[in-house]
Every structure is written in C-alpha cells, then in structure tokens.
Amino acid sequence: MKQIIFTLITTLFLTTAQSQVIQSRRLDVDPANVAKFEAAVAKKNQMYNSKDDQARWITFQIMTGPYAYNYIRLQVAESMSEFDVEDKAGNAFWQKTVGPLHTSVGNRIWGANTEMTYNPTVTNRVNHRRIIYYNVKDDKQKDFWRYRERAKKTWEEMKMENRVGVMNCISGCDGNWVQVRFHHKDFTSEEEAWEKMPVFAETYNDLFGEGSFMEDRERLRNSLMPNGRRIRHHKRLPELSSAWR
C-alpha cells in the first residue's frame, strides 16, 4: 500500500512539474455590481493580460450550485515559479477598479494532469464546461485512476471530439480533490455527448472485457469520500480572459 501511494504521489509530482499549473479563486459579486465588475475586468485584461509576455488569466462565470452567477478567476502558468512574479501595475489597477466590486474567497493551486487529460486530434476552443469535482479516499486512489485512465483510452478509441481536462489539487484543498472538466460549446452540445453514453459503455467493455464498465464505475463510486462528487457548470468569458494558447 505504501508503494502504491508513493507511486501516485511521484506521478502527480512529475505530471504537474512538466505541465500547466493553475491558481484559482472565487469572486463574489453583488448583482447590482455585475455590469461594472465585468467592464472593469475586461479593461484590466486588455491592458495587462492580453500579450504573450503578460500573465495569463481566465474568468469563468459560475452557472450552477450555491455560488451561481459569481465568478472563478484562474491564473494559468507553466510553472509555480511564475506565481512569484508580482505584476505591480496590473495589481494596482485591479485593486483600484475591480477591488471595491467583489469579495475574493479562497485560493487553490491545481496541476494539469496531462496523463489523464483527453485531447482530441482537432481541438475546438469552446467556452462551456461541465465540471465534476471528486474527493478521493487515500486508500482508493488506484480504483479511481483505473477508471479515469480507461475512460481516456475509450474516448481515444471513439475519436471523441470534445476535450476532457483533468486537474489535481496541489494546495488549498482538504483531501485528494480532482477536477474533470468536459468541454462543450453549449448545453445542446453537452446533451449530444450524453446521447453517446451507450456507445461509450459498449466501447469500454470491448476494450477491457464484458462487464468492466459497470464494475469500474462501482469501484469509482466506492473510491470517493462522503459527498465526494459535485457537479458544476461554468462559462468562460472571452473578453475577461487572456487569449487561447
């Protein structure tokens, strides 16, 4: 068991050390201030986060859950050392224009898990996200990642068009939190993907043996802490975000 945990930790370290890291915080905004808030963030983004040599920030509006219609702000970096660089001018502008219009809640650092992320051959840049947050038991990580790895191989076999990003929480979370982020154009696109679920299950069984889909889904469920699965929808706001790379 110790060897399994050590391997998982080592894999996480290597994955995050060689890929993107994301610092996230929630921004609570009074409905009366939404228009002013979005205009101020858009202006800050244009001035301080729109060029290649500037810090990258992405803004999502939360669409579901207890914090719906507030915002998630993400700083995207290639390594954690970038978080040491202070953008004094950008920060001063933010505090002057955006600061009075919101309350910042929490701070978490996530690592992009490239080993478990599914990237289609052609990546379509879309703004709609269905996100599943998982809290995984210490002694059940092997079962959790078994399903995630096999799901990725199934999507590869199906040549699925939608990207599925996976991120591990590095700091700021209580427990082994993982995000699985399904990329869609909109709710209609998401529904169309759900309609292919029987094909996914059939392909999964073809690849890993009859009954493996249901067995591995049950292992996945049993690998989670109580209340360890939460679903949220977010929408990326392009004018309030750095350009794609």
Side-chain angles (χ1 to χ4, degrees):
M1 179 57 67
K2 290 182 179 179
Q3 181 62 38
I4 292 173
I5 294 174
F6 175 79
T7 301
L8 288 167
I9 292 172
T10 302
T11 301
L12 172 58
F13 173 78
L14 292 174
T15 299
T16 55
Q18 299 173 1
S19 59
Q20 289 182 337
V21 287
I22 299 97
Q23 193 164 199
S24 73
R25 53 197 173 98
R26 192 179 83 239
L27 308 181
D28 289 351
V29 181
D30 188 287
N33 293 329
V34 164
K36 291 181 180 179
F37 169 84
E38 291 192 358
V41 176
K43 186 172 183 180
K44 193 265 183 183
N45 182 72
Q46 184 180 28
M47 294 174 62
Y48 297 102
N49 308 115
S50 60
K51 298 178 181 178
D52 288 343
D53 60 345
Q54 294 177 328
R56 293 180 62 205
W57 288 90
I58 301 173
T59 304
F60 284 91
Q61 186 175 47
I62 303 169
M63 302 170 68
T64 60
Y67 306 111
Y69 305 109
N70 286 294
Y71 302 84
I72 294 289
R73 183 86 164 152
L74 309 176
Q75 182 182 3
V76 182
E78 296 305 316
S79 70
M80 293 181 68
S81 62
E82 292 183 37
F83 299 146
D84 291 331
V85 179
E86 182 181 359
D87 178 11
K88 294 183 179 180
N91 290 345
F93 183 89
W94 178 275
Q95 292 301 327
K96 180 180 179 179
T97 61
V98 186
L101 302 173
H102 80 284
T103 300
S104 181
V105 182
N107 185 27
R108 293 175 177 172
I109 299 176
W110 301 84
N113 190 325
T114 55
E115 294 298 320
M116 297 298 173
T117 291
Y118 169 73
N119 285 303
T121 303
V122 177
T123 301
N124 297 315
R125 300 296 192 179
V126 291
N127 297 319
H128 179 95
R129 300 286 184 275
R130 178 177 181 266
I131 305 171
I132 308 179
Y133 294 89
Y134 294 103
N135 190 4
V136 186
K137 296 175 182 176
D138 286 338
D139 60 346
K140 295 291 184 179
Q141 293 194 54
K142 184 176 180 181
D143 288 340
F144 177 83
W145 292 113
R146 171 192 175 98
Y147 178 78
R148 295 259 56 89
E149 181 180 22
R150 289 184 168 191
K152 177 182 176 180
K153 291 179 179 179
T154 302
W155 291 322
E156 290 172 341
E157 181 70 18
M158 294 171 61
K159 295 181 173 57
M160 188 175 73
E161 297 178 356
N162 303 89
R163 186 178 190 272
V164 183
V166 178
M167 300 196 305
N168 300 79
C169 189
I170 299 174
S171 180
C173 297
D174 297 324
N176 305 307
W177 284 94
V178 177
Q179 287 190 48
V180 180
R181 303 172 64 89
F182 296 84
H183 293 219
H184 300 284
K185 180 181 179 182
D186 47 30
F187 281 111
T188 300
S189 170
E190 182 182 336
E191 282 187 337
E192 291 171 352
W194 272 106
E195 292 171 358
K196 298 177 182 177
M197 195 63 188
V199 178
F200 175 87
E202 181 180 356
T203 306
Y204 194 106
N205 286 332
D206 287 343
L207 289 173
F208 305 110
E210 189 62 34
S212 58
F213 173 71
M214 293 301 295
E215 177 186 343
D216 290 350
R217 290 281 291 185
E218 185 63 21
R219 287 189 180 191
L220 173 69
R221 283 190 287 269
N222 292 332
S223 74
L224 304 179
M225 297 290 289
N227 195 28
R229 182 177 181 270
R230 304 173 186 177
I231 300 175
R232 302 288 186 266
H233 281 83
H234 292 178
K235 178 174 67 175
R236 178 180 177 272
L237 304 179
E239 292 185 0
L240 281 64
S241 304
S242 300
W244 298 109
R245 285 186 187 174

